[in-house]
Amino acid sequence: MANIITELLDEREIPKYLSGVACVDEDWVLDEIPFDEEGWIGVGDDGIAINEIDSERCLIKYELWDGPPPALDTWDRTWSGSVRLTSGRIQSVDQYSGDVSYGEEFDLGRENGVWQVRIHRKALGHEEFTPDIVGSTLLKLQFWLDH
């Protein structure tokens, strides 16, 4: 069974305009990445474009695992794939009216790696308070290397 090596909950709340996560100093790559058929995730070298324009607020948690993590069946949506990350250090990027903001840096501990990644999404709701009323979306990004 796989074990978690390290994790980071970025406490910065990302308002509506999340562009995705990219290698530190490589945020421009997100502008060039097309989304998948569902229009949610796109992957290119040094970045993962994430379309959460309908979410009022996003919180991101990063996890580094020593192998494939267990499935999270209770989340709303899941995507799996791989991404090449030159620096091995990533951060969230959000853009609004020409301004760019960055989240906390997460160090994967290895440069020039091709990482397996699984992204889970959960829109928060409670009883009759539906996710669109509560307005927060959680994103969990899990990374590991194939051995």
Side-chain angles (χ1 to χ4, degrees), residues 73-144:
D73 297 331
T74 61
W75 289 61
D76 302 336
R77 180 181 238 182
T78 299
W79 176 89
S80 296
S82 61
V83 61
R84 174 177 293 285
L85 299 170
T86 305
S87 73
R89 296 181 349 262
I90 58 174
Q91 64 189 154
S92 66
V93 179
D94 57 293
Q95 300 179 33
Y96 179 69
S97 295
D99 291 330
V100 180
S101 298
Y102 304 97
E104 286 188 56
E105 206 174 288
F106 185 64
D107 189 348
L108 293 164
R110 180 174 172 184
E111 295 179 353
N112 296 314
V114 176
W115 295 90
Q116 298 304 307
V117 61
R118 190 177 298 145
I119 301 174
H120 299 284
R121 176 192 192 276
K122 182 176 233 174
L124 295 182
H126 181 70
E127 297 176 0
E128 70 272 11
F129 299 99
T130 60
D132 51 325
I133 292 172
V134 175
S136 288
T137 300
L138 306 179
L139 296 170
K140 184 181 289 197
L141 283 71
Q142 300 174 315
F143 295 88
W144 69 96

Side-chain angles (χ1 to χ4, degrees), residues 19 28-45 47-51 79 82:
S19 299
W28 58 271
V29 301
L30 296 175
D31 297 334
E32 300 175 358
I33 298 173
F35 289 106
D36 61 8
E37 291 176 4
E38 294 180 21
W40 182 43
I41 300 288
V43 178
D45 284 352
I48 304 168
I50 303 172
N51 181 5
W79 176 89
S82 61

